[in-house]
Structure formats: structure tokens, C-alpha cells
Amino acid sequence: MNILVTGGAGYIGSHTLVELYKAGHTAVVVDNLCNSNPESLRRVEAILNDEIGNSNPTDIKFKIPFYRTDIRDREGLEHLFAEHRFDACIHFAGLKAVGESVQKPWEYYENNISGTLVLLDVMRRHCCKNIIFSSSATVYGDPAEIPITERCSKGLCTNPYGWTKSMLEQVLVDIQKADPEWNVVLLRYFNPVGAHPSGRIGENPNGIPNNLMPYITQVAVGKRPQLGIFGNDYPTPDGTGVRDFIHVVDLAAAHVAALQCFAPDFEYRNANFIYNIGTGNGYSVLDMVNAFVRVNGVPVPYTIMPRRPGDIATCYCDPSKAKTELGWRAKFGIEDMVRDSWRWQRQNPEGYPDGDGL
Ligand code: NAD
Ligand code: UD1
């Protein structure tokens, strides 16, 4: 298939490009680079050349078409659709910093919701009605049951970022109901971590990381003095928060598996296409820190801090629906996650080089 990948220069998008091409698909990337660097795309091409291309390094086989376009720019998208025919869209583009969304709710609703509405309109005008949407475990709020299944009802989000995901799920479900030509796949990611095993692409957060794993790697590499662990008095085995961490390469592979939903003879066509994408294992914050230190042999000093507002104690999923229907399951374990996160950080202490080079 030829896939439009919005937000393809970002963390999950870049890893998904690798898996798409490895599975024989092609892609076109649209990204406004507000939170990414096009160097990621060059590195994706280099990985593909090494993994499946010609061994002659001067023979660049993979060139991923890239459009530096904002998905809110209707004319830009029209231009893109005039030049390419797409079988489906994998829609990653969006702002994702939870804390920032509390400070700038208008910007989050405008970017994520208006952007998606423009994208959907241009898609339908060009008869491309297959979409995979990056949703999040955050839509479950404080979940009614653990492990979380897709039958679990959605909950109250604690921040505007989470609401954009929850609202966009609803928009997509309603559009599909009104026009059954649409195929809408909602992938609810749990906690993506790790990096491509080559260490060439990975997560490149701006400023102080919000999430646990980039914070750990930045402490390990000496960029930050210590990790703050937000609370050790949760009702969990060691008192720290428990999450379903998933290796980003597994997550990327889930998108390739989800493309099956668009086949007219897909066995589960009459069901909904909502899938939890996690491992089904809950690891605590201390489990992650201890595994990181053990596997990588580098110290990660930490201190216990007060709980972070909005955090829940435990969040992990039952991923069996994705296994049964898509034949997908996570293959990487906690040791792979901490090893690959560290390889990326160690090889790229400052992330991708400055300047977009375009
Ligand atoms: P990321 O910030 O690395 O990638 C998102 C990309 O979208 C960036 O390259 C950014 O430049 C681009 N973008 C943002 N707004 C845009 C716009 N208006 N037009 C064009 N491009 C735009 O984030 P990621 O971690 O790769 O996440 C990808 C998607 O998955 C996001 O929608 C995110 O909300 C969702 N998600 C991420 C996580 C996570 O922990 N990383 C968890 C659940 C869901
Ligand atoms: C957060 C977001 C969620 C988003 C997800 C992936 C909140 C409330 N939720 O999930 O909406 O989908 O990221 O982007 O922000 N921790 C520390 N110290 C740190 C950072 C984190 O102890 O410096 C702890 C947290 O308290 C939590 C665990 O590590 O227990 C995981 O945190 P994080 O990586 O931020 O992910 P979530 O909070 O699960």
C-alpha cells in the first residue's frame, strides 16, 4: 500500500516508516517539523538501505517523499493529494505534551482537532477513507478495571491533550457511522519507550522531558543531575506508579498489522477497530530504573518527590484483542527497552543535530 504518514518525522512516525518499508509498503510523509527534525527521515532511509537496500552505500535506494506542510494547511494537503494516490493514512501529527496542553489549551485543541478535521476533509474529497489514528491509554482516564480491555468505558481525561485524543476518537467514530466507506482504526498506545536497535533514531524531546524514559536516559548521560520519582506511596508492589511500557519498534509493527483492517475480506470487519497496544505487563517506575542500571551498567541517581497531579497508580492493558484479530503481539521485553533507549541516547547525547538542514 502507499501510505500517507502525518507526523512521520517524529518519534513513533519515524520508527513506523522503517516497519512499513520492511513490510513492502511505501510512504509519503507530511510534517510541519514543529517537534521534529528531518534528520530522522534521512536516518530512516539509511536504516532501510542497510537492512533491505543494496549493500553499496552510494546506491541510495530508499528516498521517502517528504512535504514540510502543516495538516491545517488545506491547500498544502490538496497539493499533496494531487501528486499522490494514497491507500490509507496513518495519522501521528499532533501536539503531545501533557503539561503544555494545560498551559495552552487553545493551541492544543486548534492544532490537534482542526488539523485532523482538515485532513479528514481532504482525504474524503480524494476518496481515501482508510485511517489509523494515534490514540492513547489516556482516554480511559482512571480506568474502571485492570488490565484494561477495549470494552472498558472511556473516562475523564485530566488535561486538554487527553481530551483531544478522546474527542478525535469520537469524531472518527461518528464519521465512520455516517459513511460506512470509512475504515477507522483507533490504536490506543500505552507507554512507548525504546528506540530502533541501531541507535540511529529515537525520542528527541524538546527541553525538560515529561516522560519517564527520556528523563532516565538524560540523567544517565549526565545532562540532568537526578531523576525525580513522583510518589512512592501508591498502592503498588513498591509504591511507585505502574505502567505498560512498550518498545517503539513493537508499536510501529502494530501499525503495519493494523493495515489488515482495510482489506475487504478482513475476518473481523464487523467488529470495531479499536485496539489496546501494550505488552500486558505492568512495570513500576523503580522496575524501569533498576533494569536500566542493571542492563546498561550506568548509575541513575534518583530522589523521591511528591506525586504528580493527574497521575494514576496503575495502568496496563489486556492486549489480546490485537493478538486475536491482527495477529500482533509485543516481542520486546523490558531489557530490550532499556538497552535500546540507552543506545540511542549514548550515540546521540544531544538528539538530532541542530538546524533542519532543508
Ligand atoms: P512526536 O511529537 O515525536 O511526533 C508528532 C509529529 O507531528 C512531530 O514530528 C510534529 O512535528 C508533527 N506535527 C505536530 N503538529 C503538526 C501539524 N499541525 N501539522 C504537521 N505536523 C505536525 O510525537 P510521537 O511521540 O511520535 O507521537 C505520535 C502520535 O502518537 C501523537 O499524535 C501522539 O499524541 C500519539 N501518542 C504518543 C504517545 C507517546 O508516549 N509518545 C502516547 C500515546 C499517543
Ligand atoms: C503520560 C501522560 C499520558 C500520555 C503518556 C505518553 C500524564 C498524566 N499522562 O503518561 O497522557 O499519553 O504520557 O506520552 O502526564 N515519572 C516519574 N518521574 C518522571 C517522569 C515520570 O516518576 O520524571 C513516573 C510517573 O509518575 C508515572 C510513570 O513515571 O508513574 C510514567 O510517566 P510518563 O512517562 O510521564 O507516562 P504516563 O504518566 O503514564
Side-chain angles (χ1 to χ4, degrees):
M1 289 189 193
N2 191 34
I3 316 286
L4 172 62
V5 180
T6 74
Y11 172 46
I12 304 171
S14 55
H15 288 83
T16 302
L17 288 169
V18 172
E19 300 309 308
L20 283 172
Y21 274 83
K22 279 171 70 178
H25 300 290
T26 53
V28 173
V29 170
V30 53
D31 197 307
N32 66 359
L33 303 180
C34 69
N35 195 39
S36 53
N37 185 316
E39 173 68 12
S40 64
L41 298 175
R42 289 191 201 106
R43 295 193 182 186
V44 167
E45 289 164 354
I47 290 169
L48 291 170
N49 278 314
D50 283 359
E51 292 197 4
I52 48 177
N54 191 311
S55 53
N56 175 358
T58 58
D59 177 7
I60 301 295
K61 187 171 172 203
F62 292 95
K63 186 78 199 136
I64 300 173
F66 170 58
Y67 290 75
R68 184 174 184 169
T69 301
D70 193 299
I71 56 165
R72 292 166 293 179
D73 170 5
R74 181 181 292 272
E75 273 181 31
L77 289 188
E78 286 286 355
H79 170 70
L80 180 70
F81 274 82
E83 291 195 350
H84 301 271
R85 199 196 62 78
F86 297 112
D87 300 296
C89 171
I90 304 183
H91 178 30
F92 296 108
L95 299 176
K96 64 159 187 179
V98 170
E100 185 183 61
S101 79
V102 177
Q103 306 304 320
K104 299 180 178 175
W106 187 88
E107 282 77 5
Y108 270 66
Y109 287 116
E110 206 271 331
N111 189 76
N112 293 4
I113 295 189
S114 302
T116 303
L117 291 177
V118 172
L119 173 71
L120 293 172
D121 194 29
V122 176
M123 283 178 68
R124 67 179 176 177
R125 281 172 39 76
H126 292 267
C127 296
C128 174
K129 296 185 178 179
N130 293 326
I131 187 165
I132 297 176
F133 176 62
S134 296
S135 190
S136 167
T138 200
V139 302
Y140 291 111
D142 197 348
E145 58 182 39
I146 298 284
I148 303 171
T149 69
E150 293 82 354
R151 288 185 304 279
C152 197
S153 50
K154 284 166 70 175
L156 297 176
C157 298
T158 53
N159 55 76
Y161 161 74
W163 281 119
T164 68
K165 293 292 168 194
S166 191
M167 289 176 186
L168 284 170
E169 281 200 356
Q170 191 63 46
V171 167
L172 285 158
V173 165
D174 287 343
I175 284 176
Q176 196 281 329
K177 253 190 224 157
D179 176 359
E181 284 184 6
W182 276 96
N183 292 303
V184 169
V185 182
L186 307 177
L187 298 186
R188 293 176 176 163
Y189 312 156
F190 279 67
N191 289 62
V193 295
H196 189 269
S198 66
R200 289 202 258 189
I201 55 173
E203 188 169 9
N204 190 28
N206 281 332
I208 302 172
N210 298 295
N211 298 118
L212 177 65
M213 187 50 83
Y215 211 108
I216 291 177
T217 60
Q218 291 199 5
V219 171
V221 85
K223 281 178 89 170
R224 308 203 179 271
Q226 61 181 0
L227 169 73
I229 293 185
F230 300 139
N232 66 349
D233 57 354
Y234 284 105
T236 61
D238 64 24
T240 64
V242 167
R243 295 291 183 276
D244 190 333
F245 296 96
I246 173 163
H247 197 294
V248 66
V249 173
D250 277 331
L251 176 58
H255 294 79
V256 177
L259 292 173
Q260 292 170 79
C261 298
F262 304 142
D265 59 350
F266 180 57
E267 196 182 340
Y268 298 94
R269 270 201 84 76
N270 294 325
N272 68 41
F273 298 151
I274 300 177
Y275 298 101
N276 287 339
I277 304 297
T279 64
N281 300 314
Y283 288 112
S284 74
V285 174
L286 275 175
D287 288 336
M288 295 304 278
V289 174
N290 292 336
F292 189 94
V293 171
R294 189 181 70 249
V295 169
N296 298 316
V298 280
V300 178
Y302 64 81
T303 182
I304 304 298
M305 311 250 291
R307 291 182 179 193
R308 181 172 67 178
D311 274 355
I312 55 177
T314 303
C315 178
Y316 61 91
C317 76
D318 173 350
S320 54
K321 185 168 184 266
K323 180 158 188 280
T324 308
E325 299 186 9
L326 304 178
W328 171 90
R329 67 175 179 81
K331 297 192 175 98
F332 293 103
I334 185 173
E335 301 201 339
D336 305 301
M337 299 179 203
V338 296
R339 190 195 53 234
D340 292 340
S341 296
W342 177 231
R343 188 183 295 107
W344 153 254
Q345 181 76 73
R346 205 185 50 212
Q347 289 179 197
N348 306 272
E350 302 301 328
Y352 294 115
D354 274 347
D356 67 20
L358 281 183

